[in-house]
Amino acid sequence: MIELDDRTLAIRRQARAWAQELKPLALELDQDPDAIHRHLDVAIVSYLTRMTVPPEFNPDPVVVDGRPFYGTGTLERVVFAEEVAVGDAGMLLAAPGPVMSGVLVDAMGDEQQKKWFYSRIMEKPTWTFFALTEPDRGSDAGAMNTTLTPDGDDHFVLRGAKRYIGNAARADLGIVFARTRPGPLGVTAVLTETSAAGFTAEPLETIGLRGLRITAVTLDDVRVPAGQVLGRHLRATQRGMWSAVQGLNRLRPGVAAFGLGIARAAYEYVLDNRRTLTTAERHRLDRLGLRLTELRQLIWRSAIAVDDNEPAAGYLASAAKARASRLAEEATLEALGCFGPGARLDHPLLDKLARDARGVEFMEGTGNIQKLNVFTGLVQGHLRRD
């Protein structure tokens, strides 16, 4: 059984305390996703604006119990994400910061690109985006239609469309995946500013995770300086989708923790709001509590594997994410069932949790994709069948 060290326990306690500030804001953000602009001074949002910025670019980290925290470690991030998601998953997703783009910049960017990106992040609260998914094609790199073509010696041009991109409508900059030529080595990633001519982001209506402000992005001859193409200093096999997959492996344990937080929030809501339970309800709730603990251990194990660069890291992350998606949905439905037929109307926060839970399935790959990845790990001997 994995146990946390003193350092990680410290950020866990701090995150749990901060998360209490989010609960009163959850329904407000659900009603108005732009409410995030009114709450940038909330302590946890302030931390999220700088979370994952490396020490060399972050002179003012959060300090807890005399220790600086940068959020660059996967285990640290998953412990933090669970606690924040218990407070409100929507606020976690709506907050400005480097998030997914920062992971890829860290993996693929040269020193100049990192300095440019992180200086923008540290200058003021800055939203970013990560544009991989396309209409009718999802995240299938082999079918990607967005193109990046040379335009003289110093610029490239982006043409295409992306869909279901979080925060793009409120972001200042982010990453776009595009194709430079046919084949698996033809996919690359570029840093893009939303102020560039031809870049359009239109918010889409959603019923859950509304704080994320999911958008459709159109790229109509968007000019990109050559210096903003990521991975130019790397070998061709280390660019594009290879780096994207490595980045997703680092992010998936966090998404799993996010789902765990939603499930735990529903579980704790029942404990706080049902004074008496039938024997059958108590049995089901006890079983749910055990499942939460089991999933937490799997998530921590996957995070440690990522931090240690273990061969099984990506497969464990997929297993954790697939299980978290399922548990988030089942836990919220179980909680609703404890309050009768009118639960969604009588308990709007629980209704929000149930709607948010559905969104976890579609973050960083659906369950079918994750299960295929786990199967690959088993076949290749990276995962034990027990």
Side-chain angles (χ1 to χ4, degrees):
M1 184 172 180
I2 299 170
E3 295 184 0
L4 301 177
D5 60 20
D6 289 343
R7 174 184 172 82
T8 312
L9 285 171
I11 193 63
R12 188 188 196 189
R13 287 192 300 270
Q14 183 62 75
R16 185 170 295 181
W18 279 339
Q20 296 304 311
E21 301 179 57
L22 301 183
K23 290 184 178 181
L25 308 177
L27 292 177
E28 177 188 358
L29 187 67
D30 187 54
Q31 290 292 321
D32 176 16
D34 289 329
I36 183 63
H37 294 282
R38 300 193 289 270
H39 301 296
L40 296 179
D41 59 341
V42 174
I44 201 166
V45 175
S46 177
Y47 174 64
L48 288 168
T49 63
R50 294 169 286 165
M51 186 175 174
T52 75
V53 176
E56 59 267 33
F57 300 106
N58 185 0
D60 186 29
V62 167
V63 177
V64 180
D65 292 349
R67 301 179 177 96
F69 285 88
Y70 299 91
T72 52
T74 310
L75 181 60
E76 178 184 326
R77 287 201 305 275
V78 302
V79 168
F80 183 87
E82 177 191 343
E83 299 300 332
V84 180
V86 172
D88 180 38
M91 190 69 77
L92 174 62
L93 294 174
V99 202
M100 296 176 67
S101 291
V103 170
L104 205 65
V105 169
D106 189 53
M108 292 182 62
D110 59 30
E111 287 306 308
Q112 185 175 355
Q113 290 167 337
K114 291 178 182 179
K115 183 177 180 180
W116 178 84
F117 179 80
Y118 289 120
S119 65
R120 294 282 297 272
I121 296 296
M122 295 297 295
E123 181 181 350
K124 63 176 183 178
T126 302
W127 282 269
T128 60
F129 67 90
F130 185 95
L132 173 62
T133 306
E134 294 191 355
D136 302 322
R137 286 166 174 77
S139 55
D140 181 1
M144 187 178 295
N145 268 351
T146 301
T147 60
L148 182 72
T149 56
D151 184 24
D153 294 332
D154 299 324
H155 284 81
F156 288 82
V157 172
L158 277 170
R159 298 184 180 93
K162 301 291 183 179
R163 198 168 180 86
Y164 311 123
I165 311 303
N167 286 321
R170 54 167 69 113
D172 290 335
L173 64 156
I175 287 176
V176 175
F177 282 85
R179 181 172 292 286
T180 57
R181 62 183 186 275
L185 301 183
V187 176
T188 193
V190 295
L191 286 165
T192 308
E193 297 188 76
T194 59
S195 59
F199 186 101
T200 306
E202 295 291 337
L204 302 171
E205 281 298 318
T206 60
I207 62 171
L209 299 178
R210 286 172 47 77
L212 183 56
R213 212 66 169 125
I214 292 174
T215 59
V217 173
T218 302
L219 304 159
D220 186 8
D221 291 346
V222 177
R223 298 188 80 230
V224 178
Q228 291 178 201
V229 178
L230 293 171
R232 294 188 305 160
H233 62 298
L234 301 174
R235 298 193 301 273
T237 53
Q238 293 179 308
R239 302 174 198 155
M241 284 311 301
W242 183 89
S243 289
V245 168
Q246 303 310 305
L248 291 173
N249 287 343
R250 292 172 61 184
L251 289 164
R252 279 182 181 136
V255 175
F258 177 87
L260 172 61
I262 292 175
R264 196 181 113 201
Y267 170 77
E268 293 180 358
Y269 189 94
V270 177
L271 294 180
D272 292 340
N273 292 277
R274 272 292 302 270
R275 295 187 177 181
T276 59
L277 294 166
T278 66
T279 301
E281 287 172 335
R282 172 58 63 186
H283 175 75
R284 291 197 299 270
L285 206 60
D286 288 346
R287 183 173 180 272
L288 176 57
L290 290 174
R291 294 178 68 193
L292 292 172
T293 300
E294 291 169 351
L295 174 58
R296 184 178 297 111
Q297 285 289 307
L298 175 59
I299 293 171
W300 289 357
R301 176 67 185 88
S302 70
I304 292 170
V306 171
D307 285 337
D308 292 345
N309 292 315
E310 295 180 17
Y315 310 115
L316 285 169
S318 286
K321 197 274 174 176
R323 186 174 295 182
S325 300
R326 181 176 178 181
L327 185 57
E329 293 192 29
E330 292 179 355
T332 51
L333 290 177
E334 183 71 43
L336 284 167
C338 289
F339 293 96
R344 287 183 181 268
L345 296 176
D346 296 336
H347 301 270
L349 185 58
L350 196 53
D351 171 62
K352 177 187 180 299
L353 289 171
R355 288 185 282 111
D356 287 350
R358 300 303 182 277
V360 179
E361 166 70 7
F362 301 99
M363 299 174 67
E364 315 311 333
T366 62
N368 287 339
I369 293 173
Q370 308 303 338
K371 291 170 186 176
L372 285 171
N373 198 29
V374 171
F375 177 75
T376 300
L378 286 169
V379 170
Q380 294 180 352
H382 295 300
L383 292 176
R384 296 183 312 188
R385 288 175 171 81
D386 57 356

